[in-house]
């Protein structure tokens, strides 16, 4: 039996196993799910074992465990290190889901559940591709798996794990499916990811909530002040006003920008999908550029004062916001965090106090297109999808990619199979059965090609 036949023959079980994994609410950000996170790790361990791994360990960390597995068939062959994550984002707001987030359903050939695409569905394709190759005596490369449970909260403990286990993690390339393709008609390979700097700010006015009639007009309202401060972080052209923010931003040549914009993109479809009348962003850049090669600043949440039912007349003591900045090569997360902090403190009027606290961050990454591994991935898409994949820059972040390069000296191939419309991090997240099955097939072809091209 060929590997492809094996994959086709076992489609139903491959789907059922993913559904079992999706039933485990492994939300890394919320302590009340920590048992479920552990359960998901154990499930991955079991599945790696039954797929044929020789060694599988659940490695404890200061946080959630990392599942490590391997099957080394011949030290002379190249080694592929697969990275993925089994943790998921919180499913809130639950009421916006058409079916419960941890009770997966298949509708219109798509699996609906939190983590269906990001990243359980995409990660699990690698375990099934491994099973299929192993079962058909077709494993062409040595395989290592490193599946973590803290990607959605910044991968702090994975960083420690990687630094402490360089020997164990020796490989020729890292392979990750945790990104998107342009569409099922236009496959693509991600060659750039943005970095991240995530801040929380607190603005304090008076030491207690005040009557907004008795004091209003005479005492600074921290919510009003916070809004003004945030508004001033961008100018009319959509440029971020933090001094030094753009100093290290890599400017692409006009040829590079031209190539980037040749990727198919339908502005009308984009607008209607999001139900917006117009896009918005930095002047002088296209939508592809705004998400791919330009940094951003966004408020992710803002709160303070009275938000209960009815109206309470109050001049609040405090206002808060969570603000993220997406970074591009060669910005450095810690430097941007510093620049933001200094600037935010400097623009605060004397009538308030501000406190700026950094959350997690991560570096941007660019992966090579002239490598053996890229060629192997490209040829795998060509065979399975009938089209040469287009290299693209994604707007999201996988901070560990730059760390792999720094600590292990390894390049990554970002062979994702999701779609931007899969609603990752949103209600009704889903993943197409087509993408799941095609992904498994493409991954198996990658291994075959990588071994062949490495000779
Ligand atoms: N898989 C995503 C990143 C992603 C999504 C890359 C789509 C490219 C296309 C990942 O799980 C994620 O959500 N990362 C976080 C960063 C992390 C530090 C919390 C992100 O991008 O917000
Ligand atoms: Mn992910
Ligand atoms: Mn995610």
């Amino acid at each position: 039996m060929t590997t492809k036949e094996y994959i086709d023959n076992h489609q139903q079980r491959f789907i059922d196993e993913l559904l079992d994994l999706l039933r485990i609410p492994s939300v890394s950000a919320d302590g009340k799910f920590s048992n479920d996170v552990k359960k998901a790790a154990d499930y991955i361990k079991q599945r790696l074992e039954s797929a044929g791994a020789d060694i599988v360990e659940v490695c404890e960390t200061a946080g959630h465990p990392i599942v490590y597995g391997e099957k080394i068939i011949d030290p002379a062959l190249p080694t592929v290190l697969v990275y993925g994550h089994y943790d998921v984002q919180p499913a809130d707001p639950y009421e916006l889901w058409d079916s419960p987030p941890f009770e997966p359903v298949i509708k219109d050939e798509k699996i609906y559940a939190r983590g269906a695409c990001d990243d359980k569905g995409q990660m699990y394709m690698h375990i099934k591709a491994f099973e299929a190759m192993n079962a058909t005596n077709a494993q062409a490369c040595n395989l290592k798996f490193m599946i973590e449970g803290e990607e959605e909260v910044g991968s702090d403990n994975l960083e420690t794990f990687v630094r402490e286990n360089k020997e164990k993690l020796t490989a020729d390339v890292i392979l990750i499916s945790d990104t998107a393709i342009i569409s099922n008609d236009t496959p693509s390979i991600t060659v750039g990811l943005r970095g991240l700097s995530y801040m929380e700010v607190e603005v304090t006015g008076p030491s207690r909530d005040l009557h907004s009639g008795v004091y209003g007009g005479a005492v600074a309202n921290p919510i009003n002040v916070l809004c003004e401060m945030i508004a001033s972080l961008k100018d009319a052209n959509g440029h971020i006003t933090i001094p030094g923010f753009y100093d290290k931003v890599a400017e692409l040549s006009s040829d590079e920008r031209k190539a980037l914009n040749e990727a198919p993109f339908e502005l009308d479809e984009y607008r209607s999908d999001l139900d917006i009348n117009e896009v918005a962003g930095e002047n002088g850049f296209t939508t592809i550029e705004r998400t791919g090669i330009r940094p951003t600043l966004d408020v992710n949440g803002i709160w303070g004062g009275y938000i209960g039912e009815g109206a309470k007349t109050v001049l609040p003591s405090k206002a808060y916001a969570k603000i993220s900045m997406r970074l591009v090569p060669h910005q450095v997360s810690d430097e941007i965090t510093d620049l933001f902090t200094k600037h935010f403190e400097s623009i605060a009027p004397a009538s308030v106090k501000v406190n700026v606290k950094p959350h997690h961050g991560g570096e941007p990454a660019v992966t090579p297109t002239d490598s053996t591994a890229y060629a192997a991935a490209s040829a795998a898409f060509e065979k399975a999808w009938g089209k040469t994949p287009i290299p693209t820059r994604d707007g999201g972040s996988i901070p560990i990619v730059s760390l792999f390069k720094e600590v292990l000296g390894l390049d990554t191939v970002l062979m994702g199979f999701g779609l931007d419309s899969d609603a990752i991090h949103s209600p009704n997240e889903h993943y197409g059965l087509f993408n799941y099955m095609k992904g498994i097939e493409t991954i198996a072809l990658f291994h075959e090609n990588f071994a062949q091209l490495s000779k």
Side-chain angles (χ1 to χ4, degrees), residues 65 82 85 114 127 194-195 270 290 295 297 335 352 420 445 454:
V82 172
H85 63 96
R114 169 56 83 232
I127 301 184
R194 290 196 284 190
Y270 191 83
R290 286 168 177 172
L297 182 150
E335 292 176 12
V352 299
D420 284 349
L445 289 167
S454 297

Side-chain angles (χ1 to χ4, degrees), residues 210-243:
L210 303 175
H211 188 292
S212 66
V214 176
Y215 291 97
V219 175
N221 179 324
I223 300 182
N224 293 23
V225 171
L226 175 59
C227 290
E228 282 167 35
M229 289 171 75
I230 289 171
S232 79
L233 296 175
K234 281 190 192 171
D235 68 16
N237 292 318
H239 289 292
I240 293 155
T241 55
I242 300 169

Side-chain angles (χ1 to χ4, degrees), residues 52 124 133 187 254 279 378 407 443:
Y124 203 65
M133 293 185 291
S254 56
V279 293
S378 186
V407 180
I443 289 166

Side-chain angles (χ1 to χ4, degrees), residues 105-328:
V105 292
I106 298 175
K107 221 173 47 187
D108 305 329
E109 303 284 298
K110 297 176 191 87
I111 303 171
Y112 283 81
R114 169 56 83 232
C117 173
D118 183 13
D119 180 42
K120 285 174 171 172
Q122 295 218 57
M123 174 272 292
Y124 203 65
M125 297 183 306
H126 289 269
I127 301 184
K128 293 301 95 179
F130 167 45
E131 178 195 319
M133 293 185 291
N134 188 45
T136 53
N137 280 318
Q139 187 182 335
C141 300
N142 298 313
L143 252 163
K144 295 181 177 178
F145 289 89
M146 180 169 60
I147 315 295
E148 73 154 318
E150 298 191 317
E151 196 276 343
E152 299 291 8
V153 291
S155 303
D156 285 350
N157 294 302
L158 183 70
E159 173 164 357
T160 312
F161 182 83
V162 171
R163 291 190 190 280
E164 287 173 357
N165 291 281
K166 285 190 215 167
E167 201 62 34
K168 188 190 192 101
L169 300 174
T170 51
D172 294 281
V173 71
I174 312 255
L175 184 61
I176 303 178
S177 297
D178 195 20
T179 52
I181 50 174
I182 295 174
S183 74
N184 285 348
D185 296 323
T186 315
S188 54
I189 296 177
T190 303
V191 297
L193 290 165
R194 290 196 284 190
L196 183 69
S197 181
Y198 199 113
M199 316 295 296
E200 184 164 331
V201 299
E202 178 194 67
V203 178
T204 306
S207 62
R208 59 191 160 87
D209 285 3
L210 303 175
H211 188 292
S212 66
V214 176
Y215 291 97
V219 175
N221 179 324
I223 300 182
N224 293 23
V225 171
L226 175 59
C227 290
E228 282 167 35
M229 289 171 75
I230 289 171
S232 79
L233 296 175
K234 281 190 192 171
D235 68 16
N237 292 318
H239 289 292
I240 293 155
T241 55
I242 300 169
F245 186 85
Y246 291 98
D247 283 2
K248 293 196 172 173
V249 169
E251 302 286 345
L252 271 66
S253 69
S254 56
D255 279 354
E256 285 172 307
R257 286 179 66 178
K258 196 162 154 264
L260 204 64
N261 286 298
E262 270 160 16
F265 176 77
E266 290 300 331
L267 189 57
D268 285 342
E269 253 172 56
Y270 191 83
R271 284 189 294 225
S272 72
D273 175 47
L274 301 177
D275 206 3
I276 53 175
N277 292 325
E278 201 42 272
V279 293
E282 191 180 1
N283 281 1
F285 294 93
T286 64
T287 297
I288 288 182
E289 291 172 335
R290 286 168 177 172
T291 57
I293 57 163
R294 299 300 291 171
T296 63
L297 182 150
D298 277 292
V299 180
N300 295 249
I302 183 163
W303 70 104
Y306 183 69
I307 53 164
E309 204 178 305
K312 176 188 178 191
T313 50
V314 60
L315 194 164
S317 165
K318 284 181 184 290
Y320 306 84
K322 292 185 194 277
I323 299 174
S324 69
M325 289 160 283
R326 295 282 169 174
L327 313 178
V328 298

